[in-house]
Amino acid sequence: MNIQNKIGVIGLGYVGLPLARLFATKYSVVGFDINQARIAELNSGKDSTLEVEDDVLLPVLVKENPFSSSSKGLFCSSKLEDIKDANIYIVTVPTPVDKHNRPDLTPLYKASETVGKVLKKGDIVIYESTVYPGVTEEECIPVLEKVSGLKFNEDFFAGYSPERINPGDKERTVEKILKVTSGSTPEIGKIVDELYKSVIAAGTHLAPTIKVAEASKVIENSQRDINIAFVNELAKIFNLLNIDTHAVLEAAGTKWNFLKFKPGLVGGHCIGVDPFYLAQKAQDVGYYSELILTARRLNDSMGQFVASEVVKTMIKKRINIPDAKVLNLGITFKENCPDVRNTKAADVIKALEDYSIEVTTYDPWANPEEVMHEYGIRSTSSLEDMNEKFDAVVLTVSHNEFLNIDLSHYLKEGGIVYDVKGILEKYDNRL
């Protein structure tokens, strides 16, 4: 791979920043993001997503655009002119769904327009955002052609390399996860593959086409969603049979080929979203996906189910439901991570409030301002001034900090603990 490659990374969130940081150890990289506050934060050496530690980010940061000197390093900017000299553009913007769970490609369209304004002959545009098969070539490329006036696979080329970032995971970081790559021609596929291979220690897998690479990503999370839906349905069944679901799964897990999934709340920007992309594409070609959408509906119902089980348990303890007080532990979509996007813990809280229960939410990882902005839920990141006692404590996220909390300090006499994640061994009430 030519050391003179100049890489522009579009979008500096959970996916873009770790990737830009990694490439900056070998190449000239400019990270572009329209969020000026995010750019200022990163240029100060801080990452509020906590995906890249300060001592890892600071060594690669440079104060001037490295493209002019072809020196390695990462320069972060919100100015379009700073990426105009790149010859490789990597798009890492989010791909959400709308309120009807239909794919929202707006961020991809806007990112493609941005790249199109600076695209030159010979450039390569690589997409990492999770999409259904066909989005890169059928949706993004036409935008690039229209804005740039260039012709695809003659003047410029494309690739797709699906992100595999696992937020909060400090063991499986980007360079330690095998990367799927692809290109719009066989020759470009090899160039894209060599680019990633130069920084990904775990290696790469070159897919034969862009559509194969796109499909491989979207089924990864669909498969996981379906497996979790199965154990969530088991939890509902075993709850009615008065059987401990976790004990059943532990026993079944002794078989060598049993897949060890656990019941829980399925949120976030991947597993809780990506299956809708595949289902939508299937519908476009005349196939209604039954299994994928059934799994989605089941997993999306778990917030309401958890809340109803908490209320039933409280009633059995003769706790008066209207005006009862509940301490909810956790609001992020997963443990040990500040990401609150599409968190299903919010569903539990909203459902409990529908019973006229007063819910106090504590999460040491989440930003209370972001939680309020996204969900209208008040939360706190500290329990230092918490002198109140509650009728129930509900654990919805398994942050490490929750393992050592003495819940007796926060429970009224006769109060209950409901452990959604099954990590508090001394309490009986769990999903």
Side-chain angles (χ1 to χ4, degrees):
M1 176 54 60
N2 187 350
I3 194 68
Q4 299 303 316
N5 274 309
K6 300 171 182 178
I7 302 172
V9 177
I10 315 302
L12 295 175
Y14 283 86
V15 174
L17 179 64
L19 187 69
R21 194 287 309 174
L22 180 60
F23 273 124
T25 62
K26 288 194 175 184
Y27 304 105
S28 302
V29 180
V30 173
F32 175 85
D33 201 293
I34 60 174
N35 186 334
Q36 295 183 8
R38 174 67 168 164
I39 294 298
E41 168 191 290
L42 294 177
N43 281 328
S44 71
K46 300 290 183 183
D47 171 28
S48 60
T49 70
L50 305 181
E51 286 303 298
V52 180
E53 294 86 351
D54 297 354
D55 60 351
V56 174
L57 178 60
L58 280 168
V60 301
L61 287 177
V62 293
K63 295 184 178 180
E64 296 182 353
N65 193 319
F67 288 170
S68 58
S69 60
S70 295
S71 57
K72 67 181 182 180
L74 172 62
F75 180 71
C76 299
S77 175
S78 59
K79 297 178 180 178
L80 183 61
E81 62 188 45
D82 285 327
I83 59 171
K84 66 182 179 63
D85 292 328
N87 51 25
I88 294 177
Y89 295 94
I90 302 178
V91 178
T92 62
V93 296
T95 44
V97 292
D98 63 19
K99 63 180 181 180
H100 302 294
N101 290 323
R102 292 178 301 207
D104 180 4
L105 299 179
T106 302
L108 270 181
Y109 290 142
K110 291 187 177 299
S112 297
E113 289 174 359
T114 296
V115 173
K117 293 175 183 177
V118 292
L119 197 62
K120 307 171 298 301
K121 285 190 175 183
D123 289 351
I124 300 174
V125 184
I126 304 169
Y127 290 86
E128 288 219 0
S129 306
T130 302
V131 293
Y132 56 76
V135 166
T136 299
E137 293 158 299
E138 298 166 11
E139 301 290 340
C140 298
I141 295 303
V143 175
L144 292 173
E145 286 187 316
K146 180 180 179 180
V147 176
S148 69
L150 301 175
K151 190 169 180 60
F152 178 50
N153 275 344
E154 289 185 15
D155 300 322
F156 74 94
F157 305 89
Y160 183 80
S161 181
E163 60 90 1
R164 280 178 167 170
I165 294 293
N166 187 27
D169 190 339
K170 301 306 178 185
E171 297 298 323
R172 290 179 287 268
T173 50
V174 60
E175 66 270 24
K176 297 177 183 177
I177 303 174
L178 193 143
K179 203 84 162 64
V180 173
T181 62
S182 64
S184 54
T185 69
E187 295 75 21
I188 294 300
K190 292 177 182 178
I191 292 173
V192 172
D193 191 63
E194 287 298 321
L195 174 67
Y196 281 97
K197 191 178 292 183
S198 69
V199 294
I200 302 293
T204 61
H205 173 86
L206 177 57
T209 67
I210 285 177
K211 286 184 179 179
V212 167
E214 291 171 325
S216 73
K217 170 58 180 177
V218 78
I219 70 165
E220 289 175 17
N221 289 330
S222 297
Q223 181 188 68
R224 186 166 176 80
D225 194 41
I226 290 168
N227 280 315
I228 297 173
F230 173 59
V231 294
N232 274 339
E233 186 165 59
L234 292 180
K236 291 185 175 183
I237 294 170
F238 293 143
N239 179 267
L240 293 171
L241 297 174
N242 197 28
I243 299 173
D244 187 331
T245 303
H246 290 270
V248 173
L249 294 174
E250 184 178 359
T254 60
K255 190 169 187 279
W256 71 90
N257 60 351
F258 185 83
L259 301 179
K260 297 182 179 180
F261 288 88
K262 293 183 178 181
L265 304 170
V266 185
H269 57 102
C270 288
I271 300 177
V273 172
D274 297 350
F276 288 121
Y277 275 72
L278 183 56
Q280 178 64 54
K281 186 61 176 179
Q283 189 170 321
D284 289 345
V285 293
Y287 181 81
Y288 181 80
S289 174
E290 298 184 53
L291 185 58
I292 293 172
L293 291 177
T294 297
R296 275 283 72 239
R297 285 193 293 271
L298 198 149
N299 283 338
D300 277 348
S301 73
M302 291 305 291
Q304 182 66 52
F305 175 75
V306 167
S308 67
E309 290 303 302
V310 170
V311 169
K312 288 177 185 177
T313 306
M314 293 170 70
I315 290 173
K316 289 177 182 178
K317 288 284 189 175
R318 300 188 181 281
I319 296 172
N320 189 36
I321 299 304
D323 303 319
K325 294 184 177 182
V326 169
L327 173 62
N328 175 68
L329 300 180
I331 186 63
T332 62
F333 92 88
K334 65 176 293 188
E335 67 277 2
N336 307 319
C337 168
D339 194 347
V340 299
R341 289 176 294 174
N342 192 34
T343 175
K344 296 306 175 182
D347 291 357
V348 177
I349 296 167
K350 298 280 190 181
L352 288 173
E353 290 176 340
D354 286 343
Y355 287 97
S356 298
I357 293 173
E358 181 182 326
V359 182
T360 297
T361 296
Y362 163 57
D363 193 313
W365 286 82
N367 182 329
E369 293 182 2
E370 186 178 358
V371 174
M372 174 56 72
H373 178 265
E374 291 293 327
Y375 303 103
I377 293 173
R378 294 186 182 278
S379 64
T380 179
S381 56
S382 173
L383 284 180
E384 288 184 5
D385 300 323
M386 186 74 67
N387 298 316
E388 191 173 7
K389 293 209 171 188
F390 299 85
D391 297 290
V393 174
V394 180
L395 185 145
T396 53
V397 185
S398 54
H399 292 316
N400 289 341
E401 289 85 346
F402 297 158
L403 292 171
N404 300 315
I405 292 181
D406 185 353
L407 296 181
S408 65
H409 289 310
Y410 307 103
L411 268 180
K412 292 180 181 178
E413 185 176 350
I416 66 118
V417 174
Y418 194 92
D419 180 11
V420 174
K421 302 297 291 186
I423 64 170
L424 304 175
E425 295 183 358
K426 65 178 181 177
Y427 297 100
D428 293 332
N429 302 309
R430 57 183 184 175
L431 181 60

